[in-house]
Amino acid sequence: MSATKILDTLLAISRLLEQDQQRELERRGLTVPRTHLLWVLYHGGPATQAHLAEAVGVTPRHVTTLVDALENTGFARRKPHPSDRRAVLVHLTERGLSEMESMDAEHKALGANLIAGLSDDTITATRTALTQILERLTSLVDDHTARAESEERDR
Amino acid sequence: MSATKILDTLLAISRLLEQDQQRELERRGLTVPRTHLLWVLYHGGPATQAHLAEAVGVTPRHVTTLVDALENTGFARRKPHPSDRRAVLVHLTERGLSEMESMDAEHKALGANLIAGLSDDTITATRTALTQILERLTSLVDDHTARAESEERDR
DNA sequence: TATTGTTATACTCTATAACTATA
DNA sequence: TATAGTTATAGAGTATAACAATA
C-alpha cells in the first residue's frame, strides 16, 4: 500500500478538474488566465490594471494583453479613472457579469455533485485530511520560496 | 457549511502542487510538458516521436519542438531507428535519467510527508472519498467530451 | 522622482496545413 | 497510398526593458 496513493489520486483529480475547466471556458470563448482576471473583477469590482497585476500575479505589462483580449471578446471594458489620468478602471460588461454568475453556479453544483452519497463521517475525515495537506503544502511552498529568494540574493 | 468546501480545498491544493512543481522544474531547467515527455521515456524506454505524441497527448509536430528543446538542454537525444529509416528513437541521456530518478524520489517523499500524522481511519476515509470524487469527475469529463463531439458532428 | 500603462522583443506551449523521405 | 518527422505560420501565456504621460 504505497504512501503516495493519496497524492497520486489528488494529482489525477487536479488534472481532470483543470481539463474540464479548460473545456468549459473554451466553450465560452475564455481562457484560464483571462477568467482569473474576470473573477477578480467579479469579486472586487472595477480595478486599475496595476491592482489587477498584483491580484492575478502577473506583470502589469501582461495585464495589458489580457485586458486587450477581454475587450476584444466583450467580457470587460476599460474606462478612464475619475481622479488619476494615468490610470484606467477595468470593469465587467453585462456579458462578463452573467458568465461569472453562471460559472459560480456551476462551481457550486459541481462541489455538491462530487461528494453526494458519502457519509458524514467520511466527509468530515476527508475535510480534516485535506486541511492538513493544504497546510503542509503551504508551508512547503513558503520554504521553497524563501530558499529561492535567498539563492537569488546570493547571486 | 458550504457544500463546495471540499472542492475549494482540492482546488487550492491543486494550485499549490502545480506551483511547487513548476518551481522545482524551473530550478532544473525543465518545463512541465518537457518533463511529461521525459517521464514517458523513463517509464517506457526509448520511443519514436509518433509514439510520444500519442502518449503525451500532443500533436506529432509539437513533439518535434519538445524534443528539440530537450536535446538542446541535454536531457534527451535522438538516434536513428534501427529498422525504419523514417523514424527516430528518443532516449534519455544520463542527465535525463538521473533527474527523473531524483524527481521520483522527491515525489514519494512528498506523498509520505503530506499525510504523516493522520490516523489510519482518516486516511482510509479520505482514500474512499477521493476515489469516488475521481470516478465522478472521470465520468463527468467523459460526458462533456461526448457532448462536445456530438456538437462537432452537428457542424 | 515614482507610478500607470504601453511599445518592443523574446521564449514557451500548442495547433493546423503543407511538404519530404521512406515504407 | 500511408506514415514519420519537419518547415511554415499562427494564437495565447508569460517575462524583461525602455519609454510616455501623469502624479
Side-chain angles (χ1 to χ4, degrees):
Chain A
M1 186 123 55
S2 138
T4 59
K5 182 79 190 300
I6 286 191
L7 176 55
D8 288 341
T9 309
L10 281 172
L11 285 169
I13 290 171
S14 299
R15 273 189 290 271
L16 283 176
L17 282 172
E18 191 179 349
Q19 191 181 324
D20 191 55
Q21 183 190 216
Q22 282 206 17
R23 181 177 7 233
E24 289 304 299
L25 293 182
E26 199 172 317
R27 200 166 55 82
R28 294 168 203 259
L30 282 167
T31 65
V32 172
R34 292 176 196 178
T35 306
H36 190 172
L37 200 156
L38 293 181
W39 201 248
V40 171
L41 293 176
Y42 180 53
H43 284 106
T48 63
Q49 294 192 182
H51 176 259
L52 290 171
E54 173 73 29
V56 176
V58 299
T59 58
R61 174 59 184 90
H62 188 45
V63 171
T64 298
T65 309
L66 294 175
V67 174
D68 282 351
L70 288 168
E71 281 203 314
N72 285 336
T73 46
F75 293 98
R77 280 275 169 276
R78 287 178 173 98
K79 61 183 164 191
H81 191 289
S83 63
D84 185 340
R85 276 195 297 170
R86 293 171 307 180
V88 299
L89 278 181
V90 183
H91 64 102
L92 294 178
T93 59
E94 292 230 348
R95 181 180 176 194
L97 178 62
S98 83
E99 290 292 1
M100 286 304 102
E101 281 167 351
S102 84
M103 286 176 58
D104 205 15
E106 280 175 25
H107 175 75
K108 290 204 176 82
L110 176 62
N113 182 9
L114 292 183
I115 60 172
L118 292 173
S119 75
D120 284 354
D121 286 353
T122 302
I123 291 179
T124 303
T126 302
R127 205 167 281 180
T128 303
L130 292 182
T131 302
Q132 167 177 325
I133 289 173
L134 181 56
E135 273 168 20
R136 300 236 168 142
L137 257 180
T138 303
S139 73
L140 204 94
V141 168
D142 285 351
D143 286 355
H144 286 175
T145 303
R147 191 192 59 191
E149 278 169 3
S150 91
E151 274 172 13
E152 186 126 356
R153 261 200 316 281
D154 291 353
R155 256 182 285 129
Chain B
M1 186 124 56
S2 137
T4 59
K5 181 79 189 302
I6 285 191
L7 175 56
D8 287 341
T9 308
L10 281 171
L11 285 169
I13 290 171
S14 300
R15 272 190 290 270
L16 283 176
L17 282 172
E18 192 178 349
Q19 190 180 326
D20 191 56
Q21 183 188 216
Q22 281 206 17
R23 177 170 18 223
E24 290 302 301
L25 293 182
E26 199 173 315
R27 200 166 55 82
R28 301 174 140 94
L30 283 167
T31 64
V32 171
R34 292 174 196 178
T35 306
H36 190 174
L37 200 155
L38 293 181
W39 200 247
V40 171
L41 294 176
Y42 180 54
H43 283 107
T48 63
Q49 293 191 182
H51 176 259
L52 290 172
E54 173 74 28
V56 176
V58 299
T59 58
R61 173 58 185 91
H62 188 46
V63 171
T64 298
T65 310
L66 294 175
V67 174
D68 283 351
L70 288 168
E71 281 203 313
N72 286 335
T73 45
F75 293 98
R77 281 274 170 276
R78 287 178 173 100
K79 59 183 166 192
H81 191 287
S83 63
D84 186 340
R85 277 195 297 172
R86 294 171 306 181
V88 298
L89 279 181
V90 183
H91 63 102
L92 294 179
T93 58
E94 292 230 347
R95 180 180 178 193
L97 178 61
S98 81
E99 291 291 1
M100 286 304 103
E101 282 167 350
S102 84
M103 286 177 59
D104 205 14
E106 279 174 28
H107 176 73
K108 290 203 177 82
L110 176 63
N113 181 10
L114 292 183
I115 61 171
L118 292 173
S119 74
D120 285 354
D121 285 354
T122 303
I123 291 178
T124 303
T126 303
R127 205 167 282 180
T128 303
L130 292 182
T131 302
Q132 168 177 324
I133 289 173
L134 181 56
E135 272 168 21
R136 300 236 169 140
L137 256 179
T138 303
S139 74
L140 204 94
V141 169
D142 285 351
D143 285 355
H144 286 174
T145 303
R147 190 191 60 190
E149 276 169 4
S150 91
E151 274 173 12
E152 186 126 355
R153 262 199 316 281
D154 290 354
R155 255 182 289 127

